[in-house]
Coordinates of all heavy atoms in Angstrom, one line a residue:
G1388 N 4.2 -11.0 -9.5 CA 3.0 -11.8 -9.8 C 2.5 -12.5 -8.6 O 3.1 -12.3 -7.5
A1389 N 1.5 -13.3 -8.7 CA 0.9 -14.0 -7.6 C 1.8 -15.0 -6.9 O 1.6 -15.4 -5.8 CB -0.4 -14.7 -8.0
N1390 N 2.9 -15.5 -7.6 CA 3.8 -16.5 -7.0 C 5.1 -15.9 -6.5 O 5.9 -16.6 -5.9 CB 4.1 -17.6 -8.0 CG 2.8 -18.4 -8.4 OD1 2.0 -18.7 -7.5 ND2 2.7 -18.7 -9.6
D1391 N 5.3 -14.6 -6.7 CA 6.5 -13.9 -6.2 C 6.4 -13.7 -4.7 O 5.3 -13.6 -4.1 CB 6.7 -12.6 -6.9 CG 6.9 -12.7 -8.4 OD1 7.5 -13.8 -8.8 OD2 6.6 -11.8 -9.2
V1392 N 7.6 -13.7 -4.1 CA 7.7 -13.4 -2.6 C 8.6 -12.2 -2.4 O 9.7 -12.1 -3.0 CB 8.2 -14.7 -1.9 CG1 8.5 -14.4 -0.4 CG2 7.3 -15.8 -2.1
W1393 N 8.2 -11.3 -1.5 CA 9.0 -10.2 -1.1 C 9.2 -10.2 0.4 O 8.3 -10.4 1.1 CB 8.3 -8.9 -1.5 CG 8.1 -8.7 -2.9 CD1 8.9 -8.0 -3.8 CD2 7.0 -9.1 -3.7 NE1 8.4 -8.0 -5.1 CE2 7.2 -8.7 -5.1 CE3 5.8 -9.8 -3.5 CZ2 6.4 -9.0 -6.1 CZ3 5.0 -10.1 -4.5 CH2 5.2 -9.7 -5.8
I1394 N 10.5 -10.0 0.7 CA 10.9 -9.9 2.1 C 11.6 -8.6 2.4 O 12.7 -8.3 1.8 CB 11.8 -11.1 2.5 CG1 11.1 -12.4 2.3 CG2 12.2 -10.9 4.0 CD1 12.0 -13.6 2.4
F1395 N 11.0 -7.7 3.2 CA 11.6 -6.4 3.5 C 12.2 -6.6 4.9 O 11.5 -6.8 5.9 CB 10.5 -5.3 3.5 CG 9.9 -5.1 2.2 CD1 8.7 -5.7 1.9 CD2 10.5 -4.3 1.3 CE1 8.1 -5.5 0.7 CE2 9.9 -4.1 0.0 CZ 8.7 -4.7 -0.3
E1396 N 13.5 -6.5 5.0 CA 14.3 -6.7 6.2 C 14.7 -5.3 6.7 O 15.4 -4.5 6.0 CB 15.5 -7.5 6.1 CG 15.2 -9.0 5.7 CD 16.4 -9.8 5.6 OE1 17.3 -9.4 4.8 OE2 16.5 -10.9 6.2
I1397 N 14.2 -4.9 7.9 CA 14.5 -3.6 8.5 C 15.3 -3.9 9.8 O 14.8 -4.5 10.7 CB 13.2 -2.9 8.8 CG1 12.5 -2.7 7.4 CG2 13.5 -1.5 9.4 CD1 11.1 -2.2 7.5
A1398 N 16.5 -3.3 9.9 CA 17.4 -3.6 11.0 C 17.2 -2.6 12.2 O 18.0 -2.5 13.1 CB 18.8 -3.5 10.6
Q1399 N 16.0 -2.0 12.3 CA 15.7 -1.1 13.4 C 14.2 -1.0 13.5 O 13.5 -1.9 13.0 CB 16.3 0.3 13.1 CG 15.9 0.9 11.8 CD 16.7 2.1 11.4 OE1 17.5 2.6 12.2 NE2 16.6 2.6 10.2
D1400 N 13.6 0.0 14.1 CA 12.2 0.2 14.2 C 11.6 0.5 12.8 O 12.2 1.2 12.0 CB 11.8 1.3 15.2 CG 12.2 0.9 16.6 OD1 12.5 -0.3 16.9 OD2 12.3 1.8 17.5
L1401 N 10.3 0.2 12.7 CA 9.5 0.6 11.5 C 8.4 1.5 12.0 O 7.5 1.0 12.8 CB 9.0 -0.6 10.7 CG 8.0 -0.3 9.6 CD1 8.6 0.6 8.5 CD2 7.4 -1.5 9.0
T1402 N 8.3 2.8 11.7 CA 7.3 3.7 12.1 C 6.6 4.2 10.8 O 7.3 4.7 9.9 CB 7.8 4.9 12.9 OG1 8.5 4.3 14.1 CG2 6.7 5.8 13.3
V1403 N 5.3 4.0 10.7 CA 4.5 4.4 9.5 C 3.6 5.6 10.0 O 2.8 5.4 10.9 CB 3.7 3.2 9.0 CG1 2.9 3.7 7.7 CG2 4.6 2.1 8.6
A1404 N 3.8 6.7 9.3 CA 3.0 7.9 9.7 C 1.5 7.8 9.5 O 1.1 6.9 8.7 CB 3.5 9.1 8.9
N1405 N 0.8 8.6 10.2 CA -0.7 8.6 10.1 C -1.2 8.7 8.6 O -0.6 9.5 7.9 CB -1.3 9.7 10.9 CG -1.0 9.6 12.4 OD1 -0.7 8.5 12.9 ND2 -1.1 10.7 13.1
G1406 N -2.2 7.9 8.3 CA -2.8 8.1 7.0 C -2.2 7.4 5.8 O -2.6 7.5 4.7
V1407 N -1.0 6.7 6.0 CA -0.3 6.1 4.9 C -1.1 4.9 4.5 O -1.6 4.1 5.3 CB 1.1 5.7 5.4 CG1 1.8 4.9 4.3 CG2 1.9 7.0 5.6
N1408 N -1.1 4.6 3.1 CA -1.8 3.5 2.6 C -0.8 2.7 1.7 O -0.3 3.2 0.7 CB -2.9 3.9 1.7 CG -3.7 2.8 1.1 OD1 -3.5 1.6 1.5 ND2 -4.5 3.1 0.1
V1409 N -0.4 1.5 2.2 CA 0.5 0.7 1.5 C -0.3 -0.4 0.7 O -1.0 -1.2 1.4 CB 1.6 0.0 2.4 CG1 2.4 -1.0 1.6 CG2 2.4 1.0 3.1
S1410 N -0.3 -0.3 -0.6 CA -1.1 -1.3 -1.4 C -0.2 -2.1 -2.3 O 0.9 -1.7 -2.6 CB -2.2 -0.5 -2.2 OG -1.6 0.4 -3.0
L1411 N -0.7 -3.2 -2.8 CA 0.1 -4.1 -3.6 C -0.4 -3.9 -5.1 O -1.6 -3.7 -5.3 CB -0.1 -5.5 -3.2 CG 0.3 -5.8 -1.7 CD1 0.1 -7.3 -1.4 CD2 1.8 -5.4 -1.5
A1412 N 0.5 -4.2 -6.0 CA 0.1 -4.0 -7.4 C 0.7 -5.2 -8.2 O 1.6 -6.0 -7.7 CB 0.6 -2.7 -8.0
G1413 N 0.3 -5.4 -9.4 CA 0.9 -6.4 -10.3 C 0.6 -7.8 -9.9 O 1.4 -8.7 -10.2
G1414 N -0.5 -8.0 -9.2 CA -0.9 -9.4 -8.8 C -0.2 -9.9 -7.5 O -0.4 -11.0 -7.2
A1415 N 0.5 -9.0 -6.9 CA 1.2 -9.4 -5.6 C 0.1 -9.7 -4.6 O -1.0 -9.1 -4.5 CB 2.0 -8.3 -5.1
L1416 N 0.4 -10.7 -3.7 CA -0.6 -11.2 -2.7 C 0.0 -10.9 -1.3 O 1.2 -11.1 -1.1 CB -0.9 -12.6 -2.8 CG -1.5 -13.1 -4.2 CD1 -1.6 -14.6 -4.3 CD2 -2.9 -12.4 -4.3
P1417 N -0.9 -10.5 -0.3 CA -0.4 -10.2 1.0 C 0.3 -11.4 1.7 O 1.2 -11.2 2.5 CB -1.7 -9.8 1.8 CG -2.6 -9.4 0.7 CD -2.3 -10.1 -0.5
R1418 N -0.1 -12.6 1.4 CA 0.5 -13.7 2.0 C 1.9 -14.0 1.5 O 2.6 -14.7 2.1 CB -0.4 -15.0 1.7 CG -0.3 -15.4 0.2 CD -1.1 -16.7 0.0 NE -1.0 -17.1 -1.4 CZ -2.0 -17.4 -2.2 NH1 -3.2 -17.3 -1.7 NH2 -1.8 -17.7 -3.4
N1419 N 2.3 -13.3 0.5 CA 3.7 -13.4 0.0 C 4.6 -12.2 0.3 O 5.7 -12.1 -0.2 CB 3.7 -13.6 -1.5 CG 3.0 -14.9 -1.9 OD1 2.9 -15.8 -1.1 ND2 2.5 -15.0 -3.1
V1420 N 4.1 -11.3 1.1 CA 4.9 -10.1 1.4 C 5.2 -10.1 2.9 O 4.3 -10.2 3.8 CB 4.1 -8.8 1.1 CG1 4.9 -7.6 1.5 CG2 3.8 -8.7 -0.4
F1421 N 6.5 -10.1 3.3 CA 6.9 -10.2 4.6 C 7.7 -8.9 5.1 O 8.6 -8.5 4.3 CB 7.8 -11.4 4.8 CG 7.1 -12.7 4.5 CD1 7.1 -13.2 3.3 CD2 6.5 -13.4 5.6 CE1 6.4 -14.4 3.0 CE2 5.9 -14.6 5.3 CZ 5.8 -15.1 4.0
W1422 N 7.3 -8.4 6.2 CA 8.0 -7.2 6.8 C 8.7 -7.8 8.0 O 8.1 -8.0 9.1 CB 7.0 -6.2 7.2 CG 6.2 -5.6 6.0 CD1 5.1 -6.2 5.5 CD2 6.5 -4.5 5.2 NE1 4.6 -5.4 4.5 CE2 5.5 -4.4 4.3 CE3 7.5 -3.5 5.3 CZ2 5.5 -3.4 3.3 CZ3 7.5 -2.5 4.3 CH2 6.5 -2.4 3.4
Q1423 N 10.1 -8.0 7.9 CA 10.8 -8.6 9.1 C 11.6 -7.4 9.7 O 12.5 -6.8 9.1 CB 11.8 -9.6 8.5 CG 12.6 -10.2 9.6 CD 13.6 -11.3 9.0 OE1 13.2 -12.0 8.1 NE2 14.7 -11.4 9.7
V1424 N 11.2 -7.1 10.9 CA 11.7 -5.9 11.6 C 12.4 -6.3 12.9 O 11.8 -7.0 13.7 CB 10.5 -4.9 11.9 CG1 11.0 -3.7 12.6 CG2 9.8 -4.5 10.6
S1425 N 13.6 -5.9 13.1 CA 14.3 -6.2 14.3 C 13.9 -5.4 15.6 O 14.3 -5.8 16.7 CB 15.9 -6.1 14.1 OG 16.2 -4.8 13.9
G1426 N 13.2 -4.4 15.4 CA 12.7 -3.6 16.5 C 11.2 -3.5 16.5 O 10.5 -4.4 16.1
L1427 N 10.7 -2.4 17.0 CA 9.3 -2.1 17.1 C 8.6 -1.8 15.8 O 9.2 -1.1 15.0 CB 9.1 -1.0 18.1 CG 7.7 -0.4 18.3 CD1 6.8 -1.3 19.0 CD2 7.7 1.0 18.9
I1428 N 7.4 -2.2 15.6 CA 6.6 -1.8 14.4 C 5.5 -0.9 15.0 O 4.7 -1.4 15.9 CB 6.0 -3.0 13.7 CG1 7.1 -3.9 13.1 CG2 5.0 -2.5 12.6 CD1 6.6 -5.1 12.4
Q1429 N 5.4 0.3 14.5 CA 4.3 1.2 15.0 C 3.6 1.8 13.8 O 4.2 2.5 13.0 CB 4.9 2.3 15.8 CG 3.9 3.2 16.4 CD 4.5 4.1 17.5 OE1 5.7 4.1 17.8 NE2 3.7 4.9 18.1
L1430 N 2.3 1.5 13.7 CA 1.5 2.0 12.6 C 0.6 3.1 13.1 O -0.1 2.9 14.1 CB 0.6 0.9 12.0 CG 1.4 -0.4 11.5 CD1 0.4 -1.3 10.8 CD2 2.5 0.0 10.5
G1431 N 0.6 4.3 12.5 CA -0.2 5.4 12.9 C -1.7 5.2 12.7 O -2.1 4.2 12.2
T1432 N -2.4 6.2 13.0 CA -3.9 6.2 12.9 C -4.2 6.1 11.4 O -3.6 6.7 10.5 CB -4.5 7.4 13.5 OG1 -4.1 8.6 12.9 CG2 -4.3 7.5 15.0
T1433 N -5.2 5.3 11.1 CA -5.8 5.1 9.8 C -4.8 4.6 8.7 O -5.1 4.7 7.5 CB -6.5 6.4 9.2 OG1 -5.6 7.4 9.0 CG2 -7.6 6.8 10.2
V1434 N -3.7 4.0 9.2 CA -2.7 3.4 8.2 C -3.3 2.1 7.7 O -4.0 1.4 8.4 CB -1.4 3.1 9.0 CG1 -0.5 2.2 8.2 CG2 -0.7 4.4 9.3
H1435 N -3.0 1.8 6.4 CA -3.4 0.5 5.9 C -2.1 -0.1 5.4 O -1.4 0.5 4.6 CB -4.4 0.6 4.7 CG -4.7 -0.7 4.1 ND1 -5.5 -1.6 4.7 CD2 -4.2 -1.3 3.0 CE1 -5.5 -2.7 4.0 NE2 -4.7 -2.5 2.9
M1436 N -1.9 -1.4 5.8 CA -0.7 -2.1 5.4 C -1.1 -3.5 4.8 O -2.2 -4.0 5.1 CB 0.2 -2.4 6.6 CG 1.0 -1.2 7.1 SD 2.2 -0.6 6.0 CE 3.5 -1.8 6.2
E1437 N -0.3 -4.0 4.0 CA -0.5 -5.3 3.4 C 0.7 -6.2 3.7 O 1.9 -5.8 3.6 CB -0.6 -5.2 1.8 CG -1.7 -4.3 1.3 CD -3.0 -5.1 1.2 OE1 -3.0 -6.3 1.1 OE2 -4.0 -4.4 1.2
G1438 N 0.5 -7.4 4.1 CA 1.5 -8.4 4.3 C 1.6 -8.9 5.7 O 0.9 -8.6 6.6
I1439 N 2.6 -9.8 5.9 CA 2.8 -10.4 7.2 C 3.9 -9.7 7.9 O 5.0 -9.5 7.4 CB 3.2 -11.9 7.0 CG1 2.0 -12.6 6.3 CG2 3.6 -12.6 8.3 CD1 2.4 -14.0 5.7
M1440 N 3.6 -9.1 9.1 CA 4.6 -8.3 9.8 C 5.1 -9.1 11.0 O 4.4 -9.6 11.8 CB 3.9 -7.0 10.3 CG 3.2 -6.3 9.1 SD 2.6 -4.7 9.6 CE 4.1 -3.8 9.4
L1441 N 6.5 -9.2 11.0 CA 7.2 -9.9 12.0 C 8.1 -9.0 12.8 O 8.9 -8.3 12.2 CB 8.1 -11.0 11.3 CG 7.4 -11.9 10.3 CD1 8.4 -12.6 9.5 CD2 6.6 -12.9 11.1
S1442 N 7.9 -8.9 14.1 CA 8.7 -8.0 14.9 C 9.4 -8.7 16.0 O 8.8 -9.6 16.7 CB 7.8 -6.9 15.6 OG 8.5 -6.2 16.5
Q1443 N 10.7 -8.4 16.2 CA 11.5 -9.0 17.3 C 11.0 -8.5 18.6 O 11.2 -9.1 19.7 CB 12.9 -8.7 17.1 CG 13.8 -9.5 18.0 CD 15.3 -9.4 17.6 OE1 15.7 -8.7 16.7 NE2 16.1 -10.0 18.4
T1444 N 10.3 -7.3 18.7 CA 9.9 -6.8 20.0 C 8.3 -6.7 20.0 O 7.7 -7.6 20.4 CB 10.5 -5.4 20.2 OG1 10.2 -4.5 19.2 CG2 12.0 -5.5 20.4
A1445 N 7.7 -5.6 19.5 CA 6.3 -5.4 19.7 C 5.7 -4.7 18.4 O 6.4 -4.1 17.7 CB 6.0 -4.6 20.9
I1446 N 4.4 -4.9 18.3 CA 3.7 -4.2 17.2 C 2.5 -3.4 17.8 O 1.8 -3.9 18.6 CB 3.1 -5.3 16.2 CG1 4.2 -6.1 15.6 CG2 2.3 -4.6 15.1 CD1 3.8 -7.3 14.7
T1447 N 2.4 -2.2 17.4 CA 1.3 -1.3 17.9 C 0.6 -0.7 16.7 O 1.3 -0.1 15.8 CB 1.9 -0.2 18.8 OG1 2.7 -0.7 19.8 CG2 0.8 0.7 19.3
L1448 N -0.7 -0.8 16.7 CA -1.5 -0.2 15.6 C -2.3 1.0 16.2 O -3.0 0.8 17.3 CB -2.5 -1.2 15.0 CG -2.0 -2.1 13.9 CD1 -0.8 -3.0 14.4 CD2 -3.1 -2.9 13.3
G1449 N -2.3 2.1 15.6 CA -3.1 3.3 16.0 C -4.6 3.1 15.7 O -5.0 2.2 15.0
T1450 N -5.4 4.0 16.2 CA -6.8 4.0 16.0 C -7.2 4.0 14.5 O -6.7 4.8 13.7 CB -7.5 5.2 16.6 OG1 -7.1 5.3 18.0 CG2 -9.0 5.2 16.5
G1451 N -8.0 3.0 14.1 CA -8.5 2.9 12.8 C -7.5 2.3 11.8 O -7.8 2.2 10.6
A1452 N -6.4 1.8 12.2 CA -5.4 1.2 11.3 C -6.0 -0.2 10.9 O -6.7 -0.8 11.6 CB -4.1 1.0 12.0
T1453 N -5.6 -0.6 9.6 CA -6.0 -1.8 9.1 C -4.8 -2.6 8.5 O -3.9 -1.9 8.0 CB -7.1 -1.7 8.0 OG1 -6.6 -0.9 6.9 CG2 -8.4 -1.1 8.5
V1454 N -4.9 -3.9 8.6 CA -3.8 -4.7 8.0 C -4.5 -5.9 7.3 O -5.3 -6.6 7.9 CB -2.8 -5.2 9.1 CG1 -1.8 -6.2 8.5 CG2 -2.1 -4.1 9.8
N1455 N -4.1 -6.1 6.1 CA -4.5 -7.3 5.3 C -3.3 -8.2 5.4 O -2.4 -8.1 4.6 CB -4.9 -6.9 3.9 CG -5.4 -8.1 3.2 OD1 -5.7 -9.1 3.7 ND2 -5.5 -8.0 1.9
G1456 N -3.2 -9.1 6.4 CA -2.1 -9.9 6.6 C -2.1 -10.5 8.0 O -3.2 -10.8 8.5
R1457 N -0.9 -10.6 8.6 CA -0.8 -11.2 10.0 C 0.2 -10.3 10.7 O 1.1 -9.7 10.2 CB -0.3 -12.6 9.9 CG -1.3 -13.5 9.2 CD -0.8 -15.0 9.3 NE -1.6 -15.9 8.4 CZ -2.8 -16.3 8.7 NH1 -3.4 -15.9 9.8 NH2 -3.4 -17.1 7.9
L1458 N 0.0 -10.3 12.1 CA 0.9 -9.6 13.0 C 1.5 -10.6 13.9 O 0.8 -11.2 14.7 CB 0.1 -8.5 13.7 CG -0.6 -7.5 12.9 CD1 -1.4 -6.6 13.8 CD2 0.3 -6.7 12.0
L1459 N 2.8 -10.7 13.9 CA 3.5 -11.7 14.8 C 4.7 -11.0 15.5 O 5.5 -10.4 14.8 CB 4.1 -12.8 14.0 CG 3.0 -13.6 13.1 CD1 3.7 -14.5 12.1 CD2 2.1 -14.4 14.0
A1460 N 4.6 -10.9 16.8 CA 5.7 -10.3 17.6 C 6.1 -11.2 18.8 O 5.3 -12.0 19.3 CB 5.1 -9.0 18.2
Q1461 N 7.4 -11.0 19.2 CA 7.9 -11.8 20.3 C 7.3 -11.4 21.6 O 7.3 -12.2 22.6 CB 9.4 -11.8 20.3 CG 10.0 -12.6 19.2 CD 11.5 -12.7 19.3 OE1 12.2 -12.0 20.0 NE2 12.1 -13.7 18.6
S1462 N 6.9 -10.2 21.8 CA 6.4 -9.7 23.1 C 4.9 -9.4 23.1 O 4.2 -9.9 23.9 CB 7.2 -8.6 23.7 OG 7.1 -7.5 22.8
A1463 N 4.5 -8.4 22.3 CA 3.1 -8.0 22.3 C 2.6 -7.4 21.0 O 3.4 -6.8 20.3 CB 2.9 -7.0 23.4
V1464 N 1.3 -7.6 20.8 CA 0.6 -6.9 19.7 C -0.5 -6.1 20.3 O -1.3 -6.6 21.0 CB 0.1 -7.8 18.6 CG1 -0.8 -7.1 17.6 CG2 1.2 -8.6 18.0
S1465 N -0.5 -4.7 20.1 CA -1.5 -3.8 20.7 C -2.3 -3.2 19.6 O -1.8 -2.6 18.7 CB -0.8 -2.7 21.5 OG 0.0 -3.3 22.5
L1466 N -3.6 -3.4 19.7 CA -4.6 -2.8 18.7 C -5.5 -1.8 19.4 O -5.9 -2.0 20.5 CB -5.5 -3.9 18.2 CG -4.7 -5.1 17.6 CD1 -5.8 -6.2 17.2 CD2 -3.9 -4.8 16.4
D1467 N -5.7 -0.7 18.7 CA -6.6 0.4 19.2 C -7.7 0.6 18.2 O -7.5 1.4 17.3 CB -5.8 1.7 19.5 CG -6.7 2.8 20.1 OD1 -7.8 2.5 20.5 OD2 -6.2 3.9 20.3
S1468 N -8.8 -0.1 18.3 CA -9.9 0.0 17.4 C -9.4 -0.2 16.0 O -9.7 0.5 15.0 CB -10.6 1.4 17.5 OG -11.1 1.6 18.7
S1469 N -8.5 -1.2 15.8 CA -7.9 -1.6 14.5 C -8.5 -2.9 14.0 O -9.1 -3.6 14.7 CB -6.4 -1.7 14.7 OG -5.9 -0.5 15.3
T1470 N -8.2 -3.1 12.7 CA -8.8 -4.3 12.1 C -7.6 -5.1 11.4 O -6.8 -4.5 10.6 CB -9.8 -4.0 11.0 OG1 -10.9 -3.2 11.6 CG2 -10.4 -5.2 10.4
V1471 N -7.6 -6.4 11.7 CA -6.6 -7.3 11.0 C -7.4 -8.3 10.3 O -8.1 -9.1 10.9 CB -5.6 -7.9 12.0 CG1 -4.6 -8.8 11.3 CG2 -4.8 -6.8 12.8
T1472 N -7.1 -8.5 9.0 CA -7.8 -9.5 8.1 C -6.8 -10.5 7.6 O -5.8 -10.1 7.0 CB -8.5 -8.8 6.9 OG1 -9.4 -7.8 7.4 CG2 -9.3 -9.8 6.1
A1473 N -7.0 -11.7 7.9 CA -6.0 -12.8 7.5 C -6.1 -12.8 5.9 O -7.2 -12.8 5.3 CB -6.4 -14.1 8.1
P1474 N -4.9 -12.9 5.3 CA -4.9 -13.1 3.8 C -5.5 -14.4 3.4 O -5.4 -15.4 4.1 CB -3.4 -12.9 3.5 CG -2.7 -13.4 4.7 CD -3.6 -13.0 5.9
T1475 N -6.0 -14.4 2.2 CA -6.5 -15.6 1.6 C -5.4 -16.6 1.4 O -4.3 -16.2 1.0 CB -7.3 -15.4 0.3 OG1 -6.4 -14.7 -0.6 CG2 -8.5 -14.5 0.5
P1476 N -5.7 -17.9 1.6 CA -4.6 -18.9 1.4 C -4.2 -19.1 0.0 O -4.8 -18.7 -0.9 CB -5.2 -20.2 2.0 CG -6.6 -19.9 2.4 CD -6.9 -18.4 2.1

């Protein structure tokens, strides 16, 4: 539901293949979904993700990728004609 929180902890890199669409259901909100990754986050071309992405290293978005959430990395966030939309409070 809208008040639930999900935390996905990944102890290595997170690579999402081209064209993947991650959507939320059941009233889940992007502001309550966290992707905590100890390595690199790499989203392929035209990928759509939901939630707040936290990387211990870097985040790279391929051409046309979209994120409904936030991107936070300790070193760098690289965008290639990508769109990031902050979730509603």
Side-chain angles (χ1 to χ4, degrees):
N1390 295 319
D1391 296 331
V1392 174
W1393 293 268
I1394 302 171
F1395 298 97
E1396 295 181 307
I1397 301 169
Q1399 53 193 352
D1400 294 345
L1401 170 63
T1402 302
V1403 181
N1405 296 339
V1407 170
N1408 181 16
V1409 175
S1410 58
L1411 303 178
L1416 299 174
R1418 69 177 183 232
N1419 296 339
V1420 177
F1421 297 87
W1422 300 85
Q1423 181 178 328
V1424 180
S1425 65
L1427 170 74
I1428 297 174
Q1429 185 169 358
L1430 306 182
T1432 61
T1433 67
V1434 166
H1435 177 76
M1436 290 289 289
E1437 299 274 339
I1439 299 166
M1440 305 190 82
L1441 309 162
S1442 171
Q1443 189 172 0
T1444 58
I1446 301 173
T1447 303
L1448 274 64
T1450 303
T1453 59
V1454 175
N1455 185 12
R1457 299 187 189 281
L1458 304 175
L1459 305 166
Q1461 286 185 344
S1462 63
V1464 174
S1465 300
L1466 308 174
D1467 183 7
S1468 298
S1469 305
T1470 304
V1471 178
T1472 304
T1475 56

